Amino acid sequence: MVIPGKFGISSKMAEQEEMMPTQDAERQGQVADGDCAETQEQALALRRPGNQDQTTDDAHASHHSGHPSVDISENPPSTSQQPTTSHVASGAQGCSAPKKMKLDSPAQDVADCCEDALKSHYRGKGSFVKVLPWVGDDRKHITEIYTKLQLILGKYKVMLTSYADILQRKTKEGDLILIAVLTGLAGRGKTTLFDKIAYDWAVGSSQVLRKYKLVFLLKMHALEQSSDLVDAVFDQLLAKDVCIERGALDMFIKKSPGKVLVLLDGFDELMTTSLCESSFGSILEILSGKMLRGCTVLVSTRPSHFHRLVSEELVQEPFTHVEVMGFSRKDVIEYVNKFHIGEPDKAKGLLNKIKSSGLLSDLAASPMLLLLMCVLWQEECTLPETMSRLYHDGFSYIFQRKGLDSQGKVAKVVIEIGKVALHGLLSPDQSLSFKESDFEPSVLELALKAGILTRQRVRKRLQSHNSVQFFHKTFQEFSAAAYLQNLLEADPEEFHKILNEIMSKGARRFEYLLRFCCGDNEACTYEIMKVFQVRYQEDLSFESEMGLLALHCFFEGQSKRLPPEEFIHSFITDEIHIRGLNRDCLNSVIYFVKCVAEQTKDSGNAYLSKVHKLHVHYCTWTWFIEELAVTMCAMTNLHLVDFNSNADISADKLLRHLPNLIHKLYLAGNNLGGTAALWCMHLKQLKSLTKLDLSYCSLNGQDMKHVAESLEDLPNLGELRLNGNDLGGTAALWCMEVKQLQHLQTLYLMGCHLTEEDKNHIDESLSNLKKNGLSIWT
């Protein structure tokens, strides 16, 4: 019995094909001769914007100038899927000239034909991508919408210049690293990047891509764990009547894996949620390194699925991890100015609004959400302050633009399609594609007209049907959340049943669903906080991913009601650590702490008064430090404050809010140089201070003079650390003031570039203190 190989043909079958009778080869060659040519007129038609052979309803291709746009579709509808049987047929796509199937190289000839077909697709219909339904054009050419993204090498946090760097990274031994995992939040441009790579290969504009004979760009929302690579290529990329023999293509891929680049878009959207290694098809086996080890693979995913992808079953070292960060601050400014061209005041107003908000600044890094901000600002010159409100206003705008917003249609439609959306998200195969019959007809029609849903004709395994998808996965999650909010009122028991199902499957998998569900809904927020506390009590803290997700949800709720007491105690403990968080996380953290401080101020700050130690490390956002400092007034029993390595903090605003009972203050690694006159006056108030660390703070001699003068009033100061400050040649300015610190036991001056004259000043001025036990380290 012959067992088919992973690519649809066994090695024995491949051998038989290589030895096929002459008449069979001639017959195959005749087919190729007669039908594998693409005329110049056909090629031009493929490139013509008005002739894109669209199958999606209510969509049209356009290729013209206008407002800048971005492909915010992380999961646009895939191209028409193809039958699984081999195809040698007329009307072939993409073969640039008649080619005969040679007896000694049938696989090479098929690869040539496949290359032409793929390049024709990526240059033509595949080069037009859907943009947001809240702008006028449904599709734009990739060259119009692509904007260079920030790509960060995950482990080393090094900025890459382009995607070419990903494909050229090597191991210590000098071998190319063939697997790359690209992570990025929803809407950060992962799909756009893959579209651009495929397009650049097709038009030959990238030197690093020229070594690849075949580039396969596959949407993982149409794949299962058992999916086969060649099947997926026929289903998603090749025309139904393409003259490519499946077995020969399989053979070429196996024999020449180094000439193949596979782009897998959206691992988090894979239809299979519970992976079983024994059920893996060739696509997942390529990722795991069990097949085609010379093949190059780039796979994208949301961060929530990174550890599911990088595991013993799938991706292992060596691989390259790249974070797709979206737009830089400079990119945001450029984009907003282009969008509001001719309206500089509007552009300036929007940029000022974004800059004033930590959350909006973070959301603006997403090309998808920045476009939405531009659209909403142009209409109202105002922006909402949460992601949930941003999507809510975006949905409302979509319906208004299409004239479908009368009689409360928006809420009804979103809730109705949300029921289907939720069922898809929770199904074992995570359905992102639906049948028309899944929706109530009138609701489906309105959602299609608005552009929230899209519909296209797809073919798979000789079957053809209409497939309905949400424009973007976040649209599906927002709609599902709207349904859940409505369900809490209509059927609380069913709501809790579904909420527990979500949590049992893993809260991080449903981050956006949970955040949207809390959006401006106090009741939902409180119930979700309760479930977080019950299910993840041991994992709730400012340092855990689960704790930060819970705080994101609380922020989206904008609730005046505090979470359950046990929930608060999980975060507000005797010792708090906050380190290395991004703006989105810091925004949620400070919102939670401020709410606790504000809503318990009349009861003696019952929670925050229990904090004794506060550590904040590697926080580069000044606004967070300033807002956190205000809440520290409520930490009345705080005795240790550690704000090491936070770059440019405002020491003036921080120190003025410190409780006077502080014993230990660590400010090492912060740039405080040239500003000591502003904040030293606050040091005088810390009468209980016993240890002060100002190492590596860029202090100069004049700063040190201010510091020393302020310390005269601190009777209990026993340890002073000044390591790493450039104090060379300045000891005469400050030694006499330090002399007044009668209780000083240890003085650290290592790495301060002290001269011999400085050391003499120090020895003479501090001689009495040394007699009393002062140790000086230089």
Side-chain angles (χ1 to χ4, degrees):
M1 181 177 71
V2 177
I3 301 176
K6 286 291 182 183
F7 287 94
I9 182 171
S10 69
S11 57
K12 185 172 181 178
M13 292 171 66
E15 292 172 3
Q16 291 173 343
E17 287 200 14
E18 286 191 291
M19 298 184 294
M20 70 175 128
T22 303
Q23 60 266 34
D24 289 345
E26 290 176 348
R27 190 181 307 117
Q28 217 170 7
Q30 290 167 2
V31 173
D33 279 342
D35 298 309
C36 229
E38 175 190 356
T39 66
Q40 184 176 8
E41 181 180 354
Q42 289 172 324
L44 289 172
L46 275 169
R47 295 171 176 80
R48 198 172 297 131
N51 187 17
Q52 291 305 308
D53 189 28
Q54 300 281 357
T55 56
T56 303
D57 290 5
D58 305 315
H60 65 279
S62 60
H63 187 179
H64 56 80
S65 59
H67 287 319
S69 302
V70 273
D71 170 27
I72 41 50
S73 173
E74 295 283 289
N75 57 337
S78 63
T79 52
S80 299
Q81 297 176 331
Q82 309 302 328
T84 58
T85 56
S86 301
H87 291 289
V88 183
S90 62
Q93 170 190 330
C95 299
S96 58
K99 301 181 190 292
K100 288 190 176 182
M101 301 289 281
K102 298 177 183 178
L103 286 173
D104 59 344
S105 61
Q108 182 63 49
D109 288 336
V110 162
D112 291 341
C113 193
C114 186
E115 177 187 18
D116 291 338
L118 291 170
K119 286 185 174 179
S120 179
H121 170 68
Y122 296 144
R123 289 194 309 265
K125 182 177 179 180
S127 68
F128 285 81
V129 292
K130 282 186 77 67
V131 293
L132 282 173
W134 44 69
V135 294
D137 300 317
D138 290 307
R139 290 183 182 267
K140 284 187 178 291
H141 195 270
I142 185 66
T143 56
E144 284 187 65
I145 67 172
Y146 180 74
T147 302
K148 188 176 180 181
L149 303 169
Q150 295 182 95
L151 302 175
I152 306 291
L153 197 59
K155 186 184 297 184
Y156 305 100
K157 302 299 179 184
V158 174
M159 184 79 73
L160 303 181
T161 57
S162 72
Y163 65 73
D165 294 341
I166 304 173
L167 298 168
Q168 297 179 96
R169 286 195 50 77
K170 295 182 179 181
T171 64
K172 292 180 180 179
E173 293 74 25
D175 299 320
L176 284 173
I177 300 175
L178 300 178
I179 303 290
V181 176
L182 283 71
T183 59
L185 298 174
R188 290 297 170 100
K190 302 185 294 293
T191 291
T192 314
L193 179 62
F194 278 9
D195 286 336
K196 186 63 163 58
I197 293 173
Y199 178 79
D200 287 350
W201 172 75
V203 300
S205 62
S206 172
Q207 183 67 37
V208 74
L209 294 174
R210 291 178 185 174
K211 69 176 182 179
Y212 299 112
K213 179 73 173 176
L214 302 174
V215 174
F216 302 130
L217 170 53
L218 301 173
K219 306 297 182 183
M220 296 198 77
H221 68 76
L223 301 178
E224 302 170 345
Q225 66 175 342
S226 60
S227 292
D228 172 80
L229 178 62
V230 173
D231 284 349
V233 169
F234 274 91
D235 286 345
Q236 294 193 35
L237 298 174
L238 301 178
K240 183 178 181 180
D241 53 0
V242 69
C243 65
I244 293 175
E245 208 287 317
R246 183 183 300 269
L249 178 60
D250 177 10
M251 186 183 303
F252 176 84
I253 294 172
K254 286 180 176 177
K255 287 188 173 181
S256 307
K259 296 182 179 180
V260 178
L261 170 62
V262 181
L263 306 173
L264 299 174
D265 185 23
F267 174 78
D268 55 287
E269 298 174 4
L270 183 71
M271 284 196 288
T272 308
T273 57
S274 299
L275 296 179
C276 176
E277 195 171 356
S278 62
S279 300
F280 285 2
S282 61
I283 290 178
L284 293 192
E285 291 208 326
I286 292 171
L287 279 176
S288 68
K290 294 183 177 179
M291 295 189 67
L292 299 182
R293 291 184 179 176
C295 174
T296 303
V297 183
L298 272 58
V299 55
S300 69
T301 185
R302 289 182 180 181
S304 58
H305 285 63
F306 176 77
H307 293 294
R308 186 163 170 252
L309 175 58
V310 178
S311 62
E312 290 186 6
E313 294 78 21
L314 288 173
V315 177
Q316 299 180 49
E317 295 283 4
F319 71 96
T320 300
H321 177 208
V322 176
E323 297 178 60
V324 182
M325 304 301 291
F327 286 160
S328 66
R329 190 177 305 175
K330 181 180 177 181
D331 296 329
V332 170
I333 294 172
E334 179 183 353
Y335 187 91
V336 170
N337 283 324
K338 283 184 177 180
F339 187 94
H340 294 288
I341 191 165
E343 299 177 294
D345 290 341
K346 272 196 173 181
K348 183 179 179 180
L350 176 54
L351 289 170
N352 286 338
K353 178 65 176 177
I354 292 172
K355 185 179 179 181
S356 70
S357 166
L359 175 70
L360 292 178
S361 295
D362 193 55
L363 295 180
S366 163
M368 175 175 70
L369 296 182
L370 182 58
L371 174 57
L372 176 54
M373 290 181 199
C374 288
V375 170
L376 295 177
W377 187 264
Q378 192 171 44
E379 293 293 311
E380 303 289 343
C381 284
T382 185
L383 286 179
E385 291 291 337
T386 69
M387 186 170 66
S388 299
R389 291 176 182 175
L390 198 59
Y391 272 81
H392 178 274
D393 290 357
F395 269 55
S396 297
Y397 177 81
I398 291 171
F399 280 84
Q400 290 171 11
R401 190 173 71 87
K402 297 292 181 74
L404 304 172
D405 58 328
S406 60
Q407 300 176 353
K409 288 182 179 178
V410 180
K412 179 185 176 184
V413 169
V414 175
I415 290 170
E416 287 293 328
I417 63 176
K419 183 177 182 179
V420 180
L422 181 64
H423 182 269
L425 292 172
L426 296 181
S427 66
D429 293 335
Q430 186 184 215
S431 300
L432 303 181
S433 298
F434 305 94
K435 300 176 182 177
E436 290 176 301
S437 58
D438 292 332
F439 299 89
E440 197 273 319
S442 62
V443 170
L444 174 63
E445 182 182 357
L446 285 171
L448 287 169
K449 284 182 178 179
I452 294 171
L453 296 179
T454 64
R455 176 173 58 197
Q456 74 175 149
R457 198 75 176 163
V458 297
R459 296 183 296 271
K460 189 170 185 179
R461 296 184 178 92
L462 299 178
Q463 299 297 316
S464 179
H465 68 277
N466 281 335
S467 174
V468 177
Q469 291 179 313
F470 285 82
F471 177 83
H472 189 267
K473 188 179 179 182
T474 53
F475 282 40
Q476 183 172 345
E477 290 161 323
F478 181 82
S479 301
Y483 170 74
L484 272 176
Q485 287 184 344
N486 184 70
L487 189 64
L488 179 57
E489 294 184 16
D491 190 345
E493 184 176 345
E494 182 65 16
F495 170 87
H496 284 97
K497 178 182 176 182
I498 293 175
L499 179 58
N500 281 309
E501 180 183 355
I502 291 171
M503 293 300 196
S504 66
K505 290 175 179 286
R508 293 195 68 238
R509 277 180 51 194
F510 299 97
E511 174 181 353
Y512 288 87
L513 174 62
L514 291 169
R515 290 179 71 164
F516 287 141
C517 189
C518 290
D520 285 312
N521 192 302
E522 186 174 280
C524 280
T525 300
Y526 192 80
E527 294 304 320
I528 289 174
M529 295 302 101
K530 282 169 56 178
V531 177
F532 266 115
Q533 177 59 33
V534 171
R535 285 187 170 269
Y536 302 109
Q537 184 173 3
E538 299 300 320
D539 293 328
L540 296 183
S541 75
F542 292 121
E543 294 189 278
S544 71
E545 292 181 343
M546 195 62 67
L548 293 170
L549 173 55
L551 295 184
H552 288 326
C553 291
F554 181 70
F555 172 78
E556 291 293 335
Q558 293 291 293
S559 173
K560 294 182 180 180
R561 182 184 184 185
L562 286 178
E565 184 174 351
E566 297 80 5
F567 181 94
I568 298 175
H569 281 309
S570 295
F571 292 90
I572 309 299
T573 59
D574 171 76
E575 187 168 5
I576 292 176
H577 291 267
I578 299 171
R579 69 185 80 196
L581 301 182
N582 61 32
R583 277 186 301 194
D584 191 26
C585 293
L586 292 174
N587 188 75
S588 296
V589 168
I590 197 61
Y591 177 79
F592 170 72
V593 175
K594 286 169 67 176
C595 283
V596 172
E598 178 66 25
Q599 296 185 43
T600 59
K601 63 182 179 181
D602 295 330
S603 59
N605 298 115
Y607 299 108
L608 293 176
S609 63
K610 295 180 180 179
V611 179
H612 294 155
K613 301 176 183 179
L614 176 62
H615 306 267
V616 180
H617 296 172
Y618 306 109
C619 171
T620 58
W621 304 105
T622 303
W623 60 267
F624 173 78
I625 300 293
E626 293 176 357
E627 293 193 38
L628 180 62
V630 175
T631 68
M632 289 165 62
C633 294
M635 302 178 189
T636 52
N637 291 305
L638 193 63
H639 61 75
L640 183 150
V641 173
D642 173 11
F643 274 59
N644 282 346
S645 304
N646 293 300
D648 299 317
I649 70 170
S650 174
D652 172 41
K653 295 182 179 179
L654 171 63
L655 296 179
R656 73 172 60 182
H657 294 291
L658 287 182
N660 293 337
L661 296 178
I662 293 292
H663 294 167
K664 300 173 184 178
L665 177 59
Y666 303 127
L667 297 176
N670 299 299
N671 183 13
L672 305 179
T675 65
L678 298 175
W679 48 266
C680 277
M681 65 181 74
H682 303 301
L683 277 179
K684 296 180 180 182
Q685 311 304 319
L686 305 179
K687 303 298 184 181
S688 301
L689 199 63
T690 60
K691 291 185 179 181
L692 176 63
D693 189 352
L694 294 172
S695 301
Y696 303 98
C697 287
S698 303
L699 300 179
N700 55 39
Q702 198 61 43
D703 290 321
M704 189 55 216
K705 179 176 173 59
H706 288 298
V707 171
E709 290 174 347
S710 67
L711 298 182
E712 292 179 11
D713 298 321
L714 304 184
N716 300 306
L717 187 65
E719 181 178 305
L720 177 61
R721 293 175 177 263
L722 297 167
N723 299 326
N725 293 295
D726 190 359
L727 303 177
T730 69
L733 292 175
W734 45 267
C735 273
M736 295 307 293
E737 282 73 20
V738 175
K739 179 181 179 180
Q740 308 304 317
L741 305 179
Q742 296 300 315
H743 291 84
L744 194 63
Q745 294 296 305
T746 312
L747 175 62
Y748 292 91
L749 290 166
M750 292 180 289
C752 291
H753 305 107
L754 299 177
T755 65
E756 287 303 315
E757 186 177 355
D758 289 324
K759 293 178 182 178
N760 290 334
H761 274 299
I762 293 171
D763 286 338
E764 294 173 7
S765 301
L766 306 183
S767 58
N768 288 334
L769 292 181
K770 292 173 69 175
K771 291 178 182 179
N772 293 330
L774 172 64
S775 298
I776 302 177
W777 298 82
T778 59

